[in-house]
PDB file of all heavy atoms in Angstrom:
ATOM      1  N   SER A 275    -195.868 -75.583  36.646  1.00 82.00           N
ATOM      2  CA  SER A 275    -194.747 -75.589  35.714  1.00 82.00           C
ATOM      3  C   SER A 275    -193.460 -75.985  36.429  1.00 82.00           C
ATOM      4  O   SER A 275    -193.447 -76.191  37.654  1.00 82.00           O
ATOM      5  CB  SER A 275    -194.583 -74.206  35.088  1.00 82.00           C
ATOM      6  OG  SER A 275    -194.227 -73.271  36.105  1.00 82.00           O
ATOM      7  N   ALA A 276    -192.367 -76.051  35.646  1.00 75.00           N
ATOM      8  CA  ALA A 276    -191.071 -76.403  36.240  1.00 75.00           C
ATOM      9  C   ALA A 276    -190.662 -75.400  37.311  1.00 75.00           C
ATOM     10  O   ALA A 276    -190.096 -75.764  38.349  1.00 75.00           O
ATOM     11  CB  ALA A 276    -190.007 -76.480  35.152  1.00 75.00           C
ATOM     12  N   THR A 277    -190.970 -74.123  37.072  1.00 80.00           N
ATOM     13  CA  THR A 277    -190.648 -73.092  38.068  1.00 80.00           C
ATOM     14  C   THR A 277    -191.419 -73.331  39.360  1.00 80.00           C
ATOM     15  O   THR A 277    -190.874 -73.213  40.466  1.00 80.00           O
ATOM     16  CB  THR A 277    -190.970 -71.699  37.523  1.00 80.00           C
ATOM     17  OG1 THR A 277    -190.243 -71.490  36.302  1.00 80.00           O
ATOM     18  CG2 THR A 277    -190.597 -70.610  38.521  1.00 80.00           C
ATOM     19  N   GLY A 278    -192.691 -73.688  39.221  1.00 85.00           N
ATOM     20  CA  GLY A 278    -193.503 -73.979  40.396  1.00 85.00           C
ATOM     21  C   GLY A 278    -193.009 -75.205  41.145  1.00 85.00           C
ATOM     22  O   GLY A 278    -192.987 -75.229  42.382  1.00 85.00           O
ATOM     23  N   ILE A 279    -192.579 -76.231  40.398  1.00 82.00           N
ATOM     24  CA  ILE A 279    -192.053 -77.441  41.031  1.00 82.00           C
ATOM     25  C   ILE A 279    -190.795 -77.118  41.826  1.00 82.00           C
ATOM     26  O   ILE A 279    -190.644 -77.534  42.982  1.00 82.00           O
ATOM     27  CB  ILE A 279    -191.763 -78.518  39.968  1.00 82.00           C
ATOM     28  CG1 ILE A 279    -193.075 -78.982  39.317  1.00 82.00           C
ATOM     29  CG2 ILE A 279    -191.029 -79.707  40.583  1.00 82.00           C
ATOM     30  CD1 ILE A 279    -192.882 -79.870  38.104  1.00 82.00           C
ATOM     31  N   ASN A 280    -189.896 -76.335  41.205  1.00 80.00           N
ATOM     32  CA  ASN A 280    -188.668 -75.948  41.906  1.00 80.00           C
ATOM     33  C   ASN A 280    -188.974 -75.126  43.155  1.00 80.00           C
ATOM     34  O   ASN A 280    -188.359 -75.305  44.212  1.00 80.00           O
ATOM     35  CB  ASN A 280    -187.747 -75.156  40.975  1.00 80.00           C
ATOM     36  CG  ASN A 280    -187.129 -76.024  39.899  1.00 80.00           C
ATOM     37  OD1 ASN A 280    -187.093 -77.241  40.019  1.00 80.00           O
ATOM     38  ND2 ASN A 280    -186.653 -75.405  38.839  1.00 80.00           N
ATOM     39  N   GLY A 281    -189.918 -74.198  43.030  1.00 85.00           N
ATOM     40  CA  GLY A 281    -190.285 -73.357  44.172  1.00 85.00           C
ATOM     41  C   GLY A 281    -190.874 -74.169  45.312  1.00 85.00           C
ATOM     42  O   GLY A 281    -190.501 -73.995  46.478  1.00 85.00           O
ATOM     43  N   PHE A 282    -191.794 -75.088  45.003  1.00 88.00           N
ATOM     44  CA  PHE A 282    -192.397 -75.930  46.027  1.00 88.00           C
ATOM     45  C   PHE A 282    -191.356 -76.854  46.668  1.00 88.00           C
ATOM     46  O   PHE A 282    -191.386 -77.105  47.875  1.00 88.00           O
ATOM     47  CB  PHE A 282    -193.532 -76.770  45.428  1.00 88.00           C
ATOM     48  CG  PHE A 282    -194.886 -76.113  45.514  1.00 88.00           C
ATOM     49  CD1 PHE A 282    -195.098 -74.856  44.954  1.00 88.00           C
ATOM     50  CD2 PHE A 282    -195.946 -76.738  46.155  1.00 88.00           C
ATOM     51  CE1 PHE A 282    -196.345 -74.245  45.026  1.00 88.00           C
ATOM     52  CE2 PHE A 282    -197.193 -76.134  46.239  1.00 88.00           C
ATOM     53  CZ  PHE A 282    -197.388 -74.877  45.669  1.00 88.00           C
ATOM     54  N   ALA A 283    -190.435 -77.379  45.837  1.00 85.00           N
ATOM     55  CA  ALA A 283    -189.395 -78.255  46.373  1.00 85.00           C
ATOM     56  C   ALA A 283    -188.514 -77.507  47.358  1.00 85.00           C
ATOM     57  O   ALA A 283    -188.182 -78.021  48.436  1.00 85.00           O
ATOM     58  CB  ALA A 283    -188.544 -78.820  45.229  1.00 85.00           C
ATOM     59  N   PHE A 284    -188.150 -76.287  47.017  1.00 85.00           N
ATOM     60  CA  PHE A 284    -187.287 -75.512  47.905  1.00 85.00           C
ATOM     61  C   PHE A 284    -188.022 -75.157  49.195  1.00 85.00           C
ATOM     62  O   PHE A 284    -187.452 -75.223  50.291  1.00 85.00           O
ATOM     63  CB  PHE A 284    -186.796 -74.252  47.209  1.00 85.00           C
ATOM     64  CG  PHE A 284    -185.618 -73.614  47.891  1.00 85.00           C
ATOM     65  CD1 PHE A 284    -184.369 -74.193  47.804  1.00 85.00           C
ATOM     66  CD2 PHE A 284    -185.761 -72.454  48.629  1.00 85.00           C
ATOM     67  CE1 PHE A 284    -183.273 -73.622  48.440  1.00 85.00           C
ATOM     68  CE2 PHE A 284    -184.678 -71.874  49.266  1.00 85.00           C
ATOM     69  CZ  PHE A 284    -183.430 -72.461  49.166  1.00 85.00           C
ATOM     70  N   LEU A 285    -189.303 -74.790  49.078  1.00 89.00           N
ATOM     71  CA  LEU A 285    -190.090 -74.486  50.278  1.00 89.00           C
ATOM     72  C   LEU A 285    -190.236 -75.730  51.160  1.00 89.00           C
ATOM     73  O   LEU A 285    -190.176 -75.645  52.384  1.00 89.00           O
ATOM     74  CB  LEU A 285    -191.465 -73.950  49.876  1.00 89.00           C
ATOM     75  CG  LEU A 285    -191.486 -72.536  49.260  1.00 89.00           C
ATOM     76  CD1 LEU A 285    -192.896 -72.183  48.787  1.00 89.00           C
ATOM     77  CD2 LEU A 285    -190.990 -71.505  50.270  1.00 89.00           C
ATOM     78  N   GLY A 286    -190.434 -76.884  50.531  1.00 89.00           N
ATOM     79  CA  GLY A 286    -190.532 -78.120  51.302  1.00 89.00           C
ATOM     80  C   GLY A 286    -189.241 -78.435  52.029  1.00 89.00           C
ATOM     81  O   GLY A 286    -189.252 -78.859  53.190  1.00 89.00           O
ATOM     82  N   ALA A 287    -188.106 -78.217  51.355  1.00 86.00           N
ATOM     83  CA  ALA A 287    -186.812 -78.465  51.989  1.00 86.00           C
ATOM     84  C   ALA A 287    -186.587 -77.508  53.157  1.00 86.00           C
ATOM     85  O   ALA A 287    -186.125 -77.914  54.224  1.00 86.00           O
ATOM     86  CB  ALA A 287    -185.694 -78.315  50.959  1.00 86.00           C
ATOM     87  N   LEU A 288    -186.919 -76.238  52.965  1.00 85.00           N
ATOM     88  CA  LEU A 288    -186.761 -75.266  54.048  1.00 85.00           C
ATOM     89  C   LEU A 288    -187.685 -75.602  55.217  1.00 85.00           C
ATOM     90  O   LEU A 288    -187.297 -75.480  56.379  1.00 85.00           O
ATOM     91  CB  LEU A 288    -187.069 -73.852  53.533  1.00 85.00           C
ATOM     92  CG  LEU A 288    -186.025 -73.206  52.628  1.00 85.00           C
ATOM     93  CD1 LEU A 288    -186.478 -71.807  52.237  1.00 85.00           C
ATOM     94  CD2 LEU A 288    -184.667 -73.138  53.296  1.00 85.00           C
ATOM     95  N   GLY A 289    -188.910 -76.031  54.898  1.00 89.00           N
ATOM     96  CA  GLY A 289    -189.838 -76.413  55.951  1.00 89.00           C
ATOM     97  C   GLY A 289    -189.318 -77.587  56.761  1.00 89.00           C
ATOM     98  O   GLY A 289    -189.374 -77.584  58.005  1.00 89.00           O
ATOM     99  N   ALA A 290    -188.781 -78.598  56.068  1.00 89.00           N
ATOM    100  CA  ALA A 290    -188.216 -79.754  56.778  1.00 89.00           C
ATOM    101  C   ALA A 290    -187.030 -79.335  57.634  1.00 89.00           C
ATOM    102  O   ALA A 290    -186.864 -79.806  58.766  1.00 89.00           O
ATOM    103  CB  ALA A 290    -187.795 -80.820  55.771  1.00 89.00           C
ATOM    104  N   MET A 291    -186.188 -78.441  57.090  1.00 84.00           N
ATOM    105  CA  MET A 291    -185.023 -77.967  57.843  1.00 84.00           C
ATOM    106  C   MET A 291    -185.462 -77.276  59.128  1.00 84.00           C
ATOM    107  O   MET A 291    -184.912 -77.528  60.207  1.00 84.00           O
ATOM    108  CB  MET A 291    -184.217 -76.982  56.985  1.00 84.00           C
ATOM    109  CG  MET A 291    -182.979 -76.424  57.666  1.00 84.00           C
ATOM    110  SD  MET A 291    -182.189 -75.122  56.692  1.00 84.00           S
ATOM    111  CE  MET A 291    -183.260 -73.730  57.077  1.00 84.00           C
ATOM    112  N   LEU A 292    -186.471 -76.412  59.045  1.00 86.00           N
ATOM    113  CA  LEU A 292    -186.946 -75.687  60.223  1.00 86.00           C
ATOM    114  C   LEU A 292    -187.576 -76.636  61.240  1.00 86.00           C
ATOM    115  O   LEU A 292    -187.397 -76.473  62.457  1.00 86.00           O
ATOM    116  CB  LEU A 292    -187.951 -74.609  59.799  1.00 86.00           C
ATOM    117  CG  LEU A 292    -187.373 -73.455  58.968  1.00 86.00           C
ATOM    118  CD1 LEU A 292    -188.483 -72.527  58.481  1.00 86.00           C
ATOM    119  CD2 LEU A 292    -186.339 -72.673  59.769  1.00 86.00           C
ATOM    120  N   VAL A 293    -188.319 -77.628  60.753  1.00 89.00           N
ATOM    121  CA  VAL A 293    -188.945 -78.597  61.657  1.00 89.00           C
ATOM    122  C   VAL A 293    -187.871 -79.395  62.394  1.00 89.00           C
ATOM    123  O   VAL A 293    -187.926 -79.561  63.626  1.00 89.00           O
ATOM    124  CB  VAL A 293    -189.881 -79.541  60.872  1.00 89.00           C
ATOM    125  CG1 VAL A 293    -190.305 -80.724  61.746  1.00 89.00           C
ATOM    126  CG2 VAL A 293    -191.112 -78.784  60.399  1.00 89.00           C
ATOM    127  N   VAL A 294    -186.869 -79.882  61.642  1.00 86.00           N
ATOM    128  CA  VAL A 294    -185.809 -80.683  62.263  1.00 86.00           C
ATOM    129  C   VAL A 294    -185.056 -79.856  63.299  1.00 86.00           C
ATOM    130  O   VAL A 294    -184.832 -80.296  64.438  1.00 86.00           O
ATOM    131  CB  VAL A 294    -184.846 -81.225  61.190  1.00 86.00           C
ATOM    132  CG1 VAL A 294    -183.603 -81.844  61.840  1.00 86.00           C
ATOM    133  CG2 VAL A 294    -185.543 -82.265  60.327  1.00 86.00           C
ATOM    134  N   PHE A 295    -184.661 -78.655  62.914  1.00 81.00           N
ATOM    135  CA  PHE A 295    -183.884 -77.839  63.838  1.00 81.00           C
ATOM    136  C   PHE A 295    -184.721 -77.421  65.045  1.00 81.00           C
ATOM    137  O   PHE A 295    -184.240 -77.423  66.176  1.00 81.00           O
ATOM    138  CB  PHE A 295    -183.349 -76.591  63.131  1.00 81.00           C
ATOM    139  CG  PHE A 295    -182.378 -75.809  63.969  1.00 81.00           C
ATOM    140  CD1 PHE A 295    -181.107 -76.284  64.201  1.00 81.00           C
ATOM    141  CD2 PHE A 295    -182.746 -74.603  64.537  1.00 81.00           C
ATOM    142  CE1 PHE A 295    -180.204 -75.576  64.980  1.00 81.00           C
ATOM    143  CE2 PHE A 295    -181.861 -73.880  65.323  1.00 81.00           C
ATOM    144  CZ  PHE A 295    -180.583 -74.373  65.541  1.00 81.00           C
ATOM    145  N   GLY A 296    -186.002 -77.077  64.805  1.00 83.00           N
ATOM    146  CA  GLY A 296    -186.864 -76.674  65.904  1.00 83.00           C
ATOM    147  C   GLY A 296    -187.093 -77.798  66.894  1.00 83.00           C
ATOM    148  O   GLY A 296    -187.008 -77.603  68.112  1.00 83.00           O
ATOM    149  N   LEU A 297    -187.363 -79.004  66.391  1.00 84.00           N
ATOM    150  CA  LEU A 297    -187.594 -80.145  67.282  1.00 84.00           C
ATOM    151  C   LEU A 297    -186.312 -80.579  67.984  1.00 84.00           C
ATOM    152  O   LEU A 297    -186.331 -80.947  69.163  1.00 84.00           O
ATOM    153  CB  LEU A 297    -188.175 -81.314  66.489  1.00 84.00           C
ATOM    154  CG  LEU A 297    -189.597 -81.124  65.938  1.00 84.00           C
ATOM    155  CD1 LEU A 297    -190.009 -82.323  65.094  1.00 84.00           C
ATOM    156  CD2 LEU A 297    -190.590 -80.906  67.072  1.00 84.00           C
ATOM    157  N   ALA A 298    -185.183 -80.541  67.250  1.00 79.00           N
ATOM    158  CA  ALA A 298    -183.921 -80.947  67.861  1.00 79.00           C
ATOM    159  C   ALA A 298    -183.476 -79.958  68.927  1.00 79.00           C
ATOM    160  O   ALA A 298    -182.880 -80.328  69.938  1.00 79.00           O
ATOM    161  CB  ALA A 298    -182.838 -81.093  66.788  1.00 79.00           C
ATOM    162  N   HIS A 299    -183.785 -78.667  68.710  1.00 73.00           N
ATOM    163  CA  HIS A 299    -183.378 -77.640  69.668  1.00 73.00           C
ATOM    164  C   HIS A 299    -184.197 -77.763  70.944  1.00 73.00           C
ATOM    165  O   HIS A 299    -183.680 -77.630  72.047  1.00 73.00           O
ATOM    166  CB  HIS A 299    -183.531 -76.258  69.040  1.00 73.00           C
ATOM    167  CG  HIS A 299    -182.833 -75.179  69.784  1.00 73.00           C
ATOM    168  ND1 HIS A 299    -183.495 -74.320  70.634  1.00 73.00           N
ATOM    169  CD2 HIS A 299    -181.527 -74.818  69.830  1.00 73.00           C
ATOM    170  CE1 HIS A 299    -182.628 -73.473  71.154  1.00 73.00           C
ATOM    171  NE2 HIS A 299    -181.429 -73.749  70.691  1.00 73.00           N
ATOM    172  N   GLY A 300    -185.499 -78.022  70.755  1.00 65.00           N
ATOM    173  CA  GLY A 300    -186.383 -78.288  71.892  1.00 65.00           C
ATOM    174  C   GLY A 300    -186.324 -77.220  72.960  1.00 65.00           C
ATOM    175  O   GLY A 300    -186.605 -76.057  72.720  1.00 65.00           O
ATOM    176  N   ASP A 301    -185.915 -77.611  74.165  1.00 60.00           N
ATOM    177  CA  ASP A 301    -185.889 -76.704  75.302  1.00 60.00           C
ATOM    178  C   ASP A 301    -184.584 -75.911  75.379  1.00 60.00           C
ATOM    179  O   ASP A 301    -184.293 -75.267  76.386  1.00 60.00           O
ATOM    180  CB  ASP A 301    -186.081 -77.495  76.606  1.00 60.00           C
ATOM    181  CG  ASP A 301    -185.024 -78.602  76.764  1.00 60.00           C
ATOM    182  OD1 ASP A 301    -184.166 -78.724  75.858  1.00 60.00           O
ATOM    183  OD2 ASP A 301    -185.071 -79.318  77.775  1.00 60.00           O
ATOM    184  N   GLY A 302    -183.813 -75.962  74.316  1.00 60.00           N
ATOM    185  CA  GLY A 302    -182.557 -75.214  74.294  1.00 60.00           C
ATOM    186  C   GLY A 302    -181.338 -76.109  74.244  1.00 60.00           C
ATOM    187  O   GLY A 302    -180.273 -75.695  73.831  1.00 60.00           O
ATOM    188  N   SER A 303    -181.484 -77.378  74.656  1.00 62.00           N
ATOM    189  CA  SER A 303    -180.368 -78.312  74.564  1.00 62.00           C
ATOM    190  C   SER A 303    -180.234 -78.767  73.111  1.00 62.00           C
ATOM    191  O   SER A 303    -181.192 -78.760  72.352  1.00 62.00           O
ATOM    192  CB  SER A 303    -180.613 -79.517  75.466  1.00 62.00           C
ATOM    193  OG  SER A 303    -181.803 -80.182  75.090  1.00 62.00           O
ATOM    194  N   TRP A 304    -179.026 -79.157  72.748  1.00 65.00           N
ATOM    195  CA  TRP A 304    -178.784 -79.512  71.355  1.00 65.00           C
ATOM    196  C   TRP A 304    -177.607 -80.465  71.287  1.00 65.00           C
ATOM    197  O   TRP A 304    -176.516 -80.145  71.736  1.00 65.00           O
ATOM    198  CB  TRP A 304    -178.482 -78.240  70.567  1.00 65.00           C
ATOM    199  CG  TRP A 304    -178.530 -78.388  69.095  1.00 65.00           C
ATOM    200  CD1 TRP A 304    -179.589 -78.125  68.285  1.00 65.00           C
ATOM    201  CD2 TRP A 304    -177.470 -78.819  68.240  1.00 65.00           C
ATOM    202  NE1 TRP A 304    -179.257 -78.370  66.983  1.00 65.00           N
ATOM    203  CE2 TRP A 304    -177.968 -78.797  66.922  1.00 65.00           C
ATOM    204  CE3 TRP A 304    -176.159 -79.240  68.452  1.00 65.00           C
ATOM    205  CZ2 TRP A 304    -177.195 -79.171  65.835  1.00 65.00           C
ATOM    206  CZ3 TRP A 304    -175.388 -79.620  67.369  1.00 65.00           C
ATOM    207  CH2 TRP A 304    -175.908 -79.570  66.081  1.00 65.00           C
TER     208      TRP A 304
END
C-alpha cells in the first residue's frame, strides 16, 4: 500500500545515508 511504499522509501533513504557516511568515514578521516 501507499503506507508500505513510504516506509520502504524512507528505509532505503536511511540505508543509503548510512552506507555513504560509513564508507566516507572509512578509517576515521573525513
Side-chain angles (χ1 to χ4, degrees):
S275 65
T277 303
I279 294 170
N280 289 341
F282 269 57
F284 196 73
L285 289 175
L288 286 181
M291 180 187 79
L292 293 174
V293 168
V294 170
F295 188 73
L297 292 176
H299 195 259
D301 57 0
S303 59
W304 194 95

